[in-house]
Amino acid sequence: MNTDDYQGYREPCLSLMRQFGVRVWSEVVARTAEGTFEGLILPRSETADTQHIVLKLSSGYNIGLRADTIHELVETGWKEAHYRIPEKEFPVDPSRPNVKLFGTGGTIASRLDYRTGAVIPAFSPGELYGSVPELADICNLETEKLFGVFSENMGPEQYIELAEAIGEAIRAGYHGIVVGHGTDTMHHTAAALSFMIQRPPVPIVMVGSQRSSDRPSSDAAQNLINATWTAAHGEIAEVLVCMFGPTSDRYNLLHRGTRVRKMHSSYRSTFRTLGDVPLATVARGRITPIKHDYARRRDDREVDVRAVFDERVTILYYYPNMQPDLIDALVDCGYRGIVIAGTGLGHVNRKVYPALERARDAGVQCYMTLQTLWGYVQMYVYETGREILELGVVPLANMLPEVAYVKLGWALGMHPDDPDRVRALMTTSIAGEMTEREPHDGYLVFQGGVPELDALLRRLWK
Ligand code: ASP
């Protein structure tokens, strides 16, 4: 045996493995103080603790066996796993719509690297068909890997490249677009595309997964199937996010790109529409609208791509006792726009007023949004609100803070020398980012998995 047989294992596990004549990729029956387990010994992460041997059970889950609980390891076989997804050429059927999938990275494009224990982007879009063959029943899919990054590394440069690539694909005649993306900042990119790509004639559907495709509970395949269906056959020609509705795998929700937000760090049903109800559900080849005021698919291929962004914008998340020097520092650093996420109806403390005044005088535009996420900025209710308005801070109704940040970067890019036009653009809703009113029953109700939506769906699905 050579050291490769024990990839990553150190004492005391190393001696145990030698003693029982097993190695990495041995199929074993392990008798331990906790019970008997059957599985495949996986390589050990170099940075993980030294006390455990990791088994992949036939259920697909991995468990760690603590060395001092192991009585016996019996090798029953040996099977080296490569965790490569076969690249297969997508079958083309001229009767099916053509969809373009752009890969940007994230968990949906990942597998686990057993050597380091980390999730790494290693899933080229060309491998999709190999792992989700159902996609071939939906459309002719072409893939293009634009980036291979976790989504915290997405930013204006990538938004611009992506928007331009989508514009070209639409002009080239694709019937729908899918964008594979990390979930963490998917709502930022969805907002950026909603502003940069105006009046798209076809659906632009963003999709990700909370669990990588090598895990039995992965949401990757279902999300991809539903997103691809929506792009190929859906009637909603807007930027959408397609992710799990309930925590179970019954259906996905389609969220408008400017009203959606990641709300849970690990649930698969992490995306929620805020300030409104989701646009539709999608499951088993059927899209069921919940709202009807959406832009409809068109046959033309006209699309207006305005891929610009001024990076000198920021979000300031207010907290009690914020000091004015923070705002002064932003002005000194050359920021041109600040989106404040204020408390309650849109407030900050008196201490920062002089700094807001200095920002205004330096030509830095300040906008107010809400930490509560639901509801409207209303700065006429309290005296403090009125005072902040007088300092030139502009209220943004129910625009979400991240959406306002993205929109401000875009608006400053659109009108670099015209602050009035920037202000006019910011206060006009162009992609559903501000709505007249919240639905009375929207707040956490029509969000998937809750009884109210299930009752509605039972009626709609009849
Ligand atoms: N950290 C990952 C990302 O946003 C998580 C995911 O893809 O879900 O890229």
Side-chain angles (χ1 to χ4, degrees), residues 403-415:
V403 174
Y405 157 76
V406 169
K407 187 174 181 188
L408 186 52
W410 174 74
L412 283 164
M414 289 286 289
H415 305 298

Side-chain angles (χ1 to χ4, degrees), residues 34-232:
E34 313 290 338
T36 300
F37 303 93
E38 287 182 42
L40 186 70
I41 298 185
L42 294 179
R44 188 71 175 133
S45 158
E46 281 153 10
T47 52
D49 79 82
T50 54
Q51 304 297 318
H52 292 83
I53 292 180
V54 183
L55 278 197
K56 183 173 265 309
L57 305 177
S58 56
S59 64
Y61 279 99
N62 299 346
I63 56 165
L65 305 176
R66 222 180 57 221
D68 60 2
T69 65
I70 296 174
H71 301 320
E72 191 187 23
L73 296 168
V74 180
E75 184 173 83
T76 55
W78 191 86
K79 188 168 75 188
E80 183 164 11
H82 287 290
Y83 295 97
R84 270 205 63 75
I85 298 146
E87 295 235 17
K88 283 198 201 160
E89 208 167 306
F90 209 91
V92 176
D93 174 345
S95 68
R96 294 203 186 106
N98 298 324
V99 170
K100 179 91 179 210
L101 183 146
F102 290 104
T104 68
T107 301
I108 192 148
S110 299
R111 63 174 172 78
L112 204 60
D113 180 343
Y114 285 101
R115 199 178 43 79
T116 60
V119 173
I120 52 166
F123 186 172
S124 83
E127 292 168 312
L128 279 177
Y129 174 52
S131 59
V132 191
E134 293 92 331
L135 295 175
D137 300 332
I138 300 174
C139 63
N140 301 316
L141 191 70
E142 268 182 47
T143 61
E144 185 177 334
K145 181 177 175 180
L146 286 181
F147 323 110
V149 297
F150 288 123
S151 69
E152 55 271 27
N153 299 309
M154 291 292 291
E157 203 185 308
Q158 289 75 20
Y159 303 156
I160 289 171
E161 193 177 330
L162 180 57
E164 280 168 352
I166 292 172
E168 270 168 41
I170 290 174
R171 286 185 211 103
Y174 289 94
H175 295 92
I177 308 291
V178 177
V179 179
H181 197 286
T183 56
D184 295 351
T185 72
M186 195 188 298
H187 48 295
H188 292 82
T189 305
L193 296 180
S194 303
F195 298 124
M196 290 180 176
I197 305 175
Q198 307 215 342
R199 295 195 73 248
V202 300
I204 300 169
V205 191
M206 301 200 60
V207 66
S209 72
Q210 281 281 80
R211 318 248 167 97
S212 56
S213 48
D214 52 0
R215 296 177 63 180
S217 61
S218 173
D219 46 341
Q222 176 178 314
N223 289 345
L224 260 175
I225 291 168
N226 283 329
T228 306
W229 177 272
T230 304

